[in-house]
């Protein structure tokens, strides 16, 4: 199945309708439904070096957190959020040489595109953003595809008058 088959359209327009502003790293919370749980040490360390020397060049996509006022849920950009963590060296158990390579300041705020999305829209946008990666782990790719399928089936079921219509 081609990557584009499950992507649908209109989400780029939805994302472009948000507000861009810096948010404190402490205001950002990873989404609990994110299938991606493992982040490779070497690429995360390389990203952390880049962020410390050049800053964050691409906005994170976030939405107001559904239950924590003043906080935002990360829809896209969790690697950038993780790489900008001041405690990254401890979390990754970096060697002294690796720690020394982390020169520069850790940003206290990150550029964010704030969008208002439903749970389903947020999951879908996150899945699409991740499915478009070239080096996505096969298990993560399957998890994102399952999220998209689950959301599509739930939507179809909500709009169906009967289970027999769902089977069509």
């Amino acid at each position: 199945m081609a990557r584009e088959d499950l992507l649908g359209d209109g989400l780029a327009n939805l994302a472009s309708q948000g507000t861009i502003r810096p948010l404190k790293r402490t205001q950002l919370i990873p989404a609990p439904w994110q299938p991606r749980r493992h982040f490779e040490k070497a690429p995360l360390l390389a990203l952390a070096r880049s962020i410390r020397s050049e800053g964050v060049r691409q906005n994170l996509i976030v939405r107001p957190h559904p239950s924590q006022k003043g906080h935002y849920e990360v829809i896209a950009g969790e690697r950038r959020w993780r790489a900008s963590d001041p405690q990254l060296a401890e979390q990754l158990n970096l060697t002294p040489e690796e720690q020394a390579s982390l020169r520069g300041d850790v940003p206290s705020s990150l550029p964010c595109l704030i969008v208002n999305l439903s749970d389903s829209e947020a999951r879908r946008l996150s899945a699409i953003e991740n499915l478009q990666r070239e080096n996505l782990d096969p298990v993560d790719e399957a998890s994102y595809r399952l999220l998209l399928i689950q959301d599509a089936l739930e939507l179809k079921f909500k709009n169906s008058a009967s289970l027999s219509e769902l089977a069509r």
Side-chain angles (χ1 to χ4, degrees):
M1 180 179 290
R3 290 187 184 276
E4 294 77 22
D5 289 349
L6 291 176
L7 300 184
D9 46 68
L11 288 176
N13 291 335
L14 184 64
S16 68
Q17 296 172 7
T19 303
I20 296 175
R21 73 171 216 233
L23 294 173
K24 291 185 187 295
R25 190 185 179 288
T26 56
Q27 290 179 275
L28 304 174
I29 300 169
W33 37 261
Q34 281 281 9
R36 191 172 186 187
R37 296 285 175 231
H38 180 71
F39 297 87
E40 294 289 331
K41 179 180 176 179
L44 196 57
L45 182 56
L47 181 58
R49 288 180 187 125
S50 172
I51 287 173
R52 283 162 174 76
S53 66
E54 303 296 326
V56 176
R57 299 290 185 204
Q58 184 179 8
N59 297 328
L60 282 70
I61 301 176
V62 301
R63 70 175 183 158
H65 196 281
S67 62
Q68 296 184 36
K69 187 176 176 157
H71 287 84
Y72 297 84
E73 198 170 63
V74 178
I75 297 168
E78 186 174 344
R79 282 185 65 245
R80 282 167 271 153
W81 176 79
R82 288 179 183 277
S84 68
D85 190 336
Q87 305 303 317
L88 183 70
E90 291 82 21
Q91 292 169 2
L92 294 179
N93 293 321
L94 297 182
T95 66
E97 294 81 21
E98 290 170 325
Q99 287 182 33
S101 73
L102 287 175
R103 295 185 189 99
D105 294 329
V106 176
S108 61
S109 62
L110 302 169
C112 294
L113 172 64
I114 304 168
V115 292
N116 290 310
L117 300 173
S118 68
D119 289 348
S120 177
E121 291 168 327
R123 282 192 305 268
R124 187 165 182 210
L125 182 59
S126 177
I128 289 168
E129 190 267 342
N130 279 287
L131 284 170
Q132 292 175 340
R133 294 185 179 281
E134 288 185 24
N135 61 346
L136 188 62
D137 176 88
V139 173
D140 289 339
E141 181 173 350
S143 297
Y144 284 113
R145 288 189 181 280
L146 287 172
L147 266 179
L148 287 173
I149 292 167
Q150 176 186 348
D151 283 348
L153 288 174
E154 286 176 10
L155 179 63
K156 190 169 184 177
F157 183 70
K158 285 179 187 175
N159 294 333
S160 295
S162 69
L163 287 176
S164 61
E165 288 181 32
L166 180 61
R168 289 188 211 160

